[in-house]
Amino acid sequence: MSESTTREERFDHGLEVLRSVDGEAGQRVIDSLADISPELGRQIVSWGFGEIYARPELAPRDRQLVTIGMLTALGGCEPQLEVHVNASLNVGLTPEQIVEAMLHAAVYCGFPKALNATFVAKKVFAERGLLPLGQE
């Protein structure tokens, strides 16, 4: 987006990107901020998705791998991790790739954080009928 775009244009573009990545889960996050911090929701959409997620240098699946790794390492971000596990599936990552990213993160952030992340993934996979893994 150019610097001359309006605030509304940036928001609308971000909303398109948000919907393509996070689907309904992303919209629920934005909606949940409406009565406490609508500006935070607007910035997540406009900047986070309209500016950062929309950059062409990384494919959406690669951005989700980075996001999964970061949220796993940070810990305490399980609600956001749940949204991004769903988003990872939406953009083409397999459940096995998501679990592998969390396993890989354990080397850098420790077993407790990797376990917490893996249990978030398990919840999402169960909700989407993807368990057990490794069975067709």
Side-chain angles (χ1 to χ4, degrees):
M1 305 235 55
S2 72
E3 290 185 29
S4 64
T5 58
T6 67
R7 179 173 162 91
E8 270 315 301
E9 289 170 330
R10 284 190 299 276
F11 181 80
D12 291 344
H13 176 66
L15 204 51
E16 287 176 35
V17 176
L18 172 72
R19 288 178 178 149
S20 72
V21 174
D22 285 348
E24 292 178 16
Q27 186 64 53
R28 282 193 300 272
V29 171
I30 302 311
D31 292 346
S32 72
L33 293 167
D35 63 350
I36 181 73
S37 185
E39 187 59 26
L40 179 57
R42 177 173 279 285
Q43 291 303 321
I44 289 168
V45 171
S46 298
W47 186 72
F49 284 88
E51 296 288 332
I52 301 303
Y53 265 81
R55 295 176 56 82
E57 289 77 13
L58 288 175
R61 69 176 304 286
D62 299 333
R63 288 192 186 282
Q64 286 304 316
L65 274 174
V66 171
T67 303
I68 292 288
M70 295 296 288
L71 292 174
T72 297
L74 283 169
C77 302
E78 287 74 17
Q80 293 77 25
L81 186 57
E82 184 175 342
V83 169
H84 286 283
V85 169
N86 271 298
S88 295
L89 294 166
N90 293 345
V91 299
L93 286 169
T94 67
E96 292 80 8
Q97 290 169 326
I98 294 166
V99 170
E100 187 66 25
M102 293 171 175
L103 175 62
H104 184 75
V107 174
Y108 297 94
C109 66
F111 286 116
K113 290 180 180 178
L115 280 165
N116 290 344
T118 300
F119 288 127
V120 169
K122 181 178 181 175
K123 177 182 184 275
V124 171
F125 299 161
E127 289 169 353
R128 291 179 74 154
L130 300 173
L131 290 178
L133 295 189
Q135 297 180 2
E136 299 284 322

